[in-house]
Amino acid sequence: KAGVTQTPRYLIKTRGQQVTLSCSPISGHRSVSWYQQTPGQGLQFLFEYFSETQRNKGNFPGRFSGRQFSNSRSEMNVSTLELGDSALYLCASSLVGSGGAADTQYFGPGTRLTVL
Amino acid sequence: QKEVEQNSGPLSVPEGAIASLNCTYSDRGSQSFFWYRQYSGKSPELIMSIYSNGDKEDGRFTAQLNKASQYVSLLIRDSQPSDSATYLCAVVGQGGSEKLVFGKGTKLTVNP
């Protein structure tokens, strides 16, 4: 079974631009979560989507948004990029997002975003 | 604010020794607990999950959970240089929503 895939793997943008990242979950998984990882803050939860609906949201500004399509693929968008947005963006998928036994999250390889 | 705390390390152990990684969490209602391993430049990979008090063993790895003390640990027996990585503790909070809260990780180095 193919794992979680993310595109692109690397991105370089300048301040003020916007960016869209894509995540394809494991086949059959309906929950997709997004995380930001930086050396200083570690892994921080951005949001979670299930059945095309945002179900949970972390403490990030409104410049960070996302969506999920009917095939469970998800995108996240960051508008008006700031230098501090430079990070590894990870998505993770799970079956239904219950957090319970046998519903583990599996991570994709991540997208490394650099904002200049 | 739900928090997960880990010693940042670095933790250094000789090859063949037992590495002990610890994690505490603040949300008493937390239901699910995970240990992820992250090699430098790679994404986290799940190595252990535990849901009830006690020990859970998988090969050289043992996870221990004590909900009363809000404490979860990971023991790695017969540590190998390939175990050198950052170990992330993650907790799913009350309500069953898939919102993993991660600790900042403990960097483990196993010296040959």
Side-chain angles (χ1 to χ4, degrees), chain B residues 1-4 24-33 51 53 65-71 91-95:
Chain B
Q1 177 72 19
K2 300 171 186 175
E3 292 184 352
V4 178
T24 58
Y25 58 95
S26 63
D27 183 2
R28 187 169 289 277
S30 297
Q31 302 291 325
S32 307
F33 308 86
Y51 305 96
N53 280 329
L65 175 62
N66 184 325
K67 289 186 177 180
S69 301
Q70 296 175 240
Y71 175 90
V91 176
V92 173
Q94 197 168 15

Side-chain angles (χ1 to χ4, degrees), chain A residues 35 37 40 97-99 104-105 108, chain B residues 32 36 38 43 46 96 98 100:
Chain A
Y35 298 87
Q37 188 173 35
S98 68
T104 307
Q105 284 195 358
Chain B
S32 307
Y36 284 83
Q38 187 173 25
S43 61
L46 180 72
E98 186 73 341
L100 272 176

Side-chain angles (χ1 to χ4, degrees), chain B residues 5-65:
Chain B
E5 305 270 354
Q6 296 181 252
N7 290 328
S8 60
L11 174 65
S12 183
V13 300
E15 184 174 355
I18 295 175
S20 178
L21 304 162
N22 304 314
C23 173
T24 58
Y25 58 95
S26 63
D27 183 2
R28 187 169 289 277
S30 297
Q31 302 291 325
S32 307
F33 308 86
F34 306 88
W35 283 99
Y36 284 83
R37 176 177 62 198
Q38 187 173 25
Y39 292 113
S40 181
K42 300 293 186 182
S43 61
E45 59 175 323
L46 180 72
I47 53 173
M48 289 288 287
S49 59
I50 187 165
Y51 305 96
S52 54
N53 280 329
D55 295 359
K56 179 182 177 182
E57 187 174 316
D58 184 1
R60 296 186 296 111
F61 298 95
T62 299
Q64 299 173 318
L65 175 62

Side-chain angles (χ1 to χ4, degrees), chain A residues 20-64:
Chain A
T20 299
L21 313 180
S22 181
C23 172
S24 292
I26 292 171
S27 178
H29 284 194
R30 295 166 61 194
S31 170
V32 174
S33 297
W34 288 89
Y35 298 87
Q36 181 196 66
Q37 188 173 35
T38 58
Q41 297 300 317
L43 258 169
Q44 292 187 289
F45 174 80
L46 280 156
F47 29 65
E48 183 236 352
Y49 285 87
F50 178 79
S51 291
E52 303 179 62
T53 300
Q54 187 181 89
R55 193 161 60 174
N56 284 294
K57 190 176 189 305
N59 297 322
F60 279 83
R63 300 185 296 107
F64 292 83

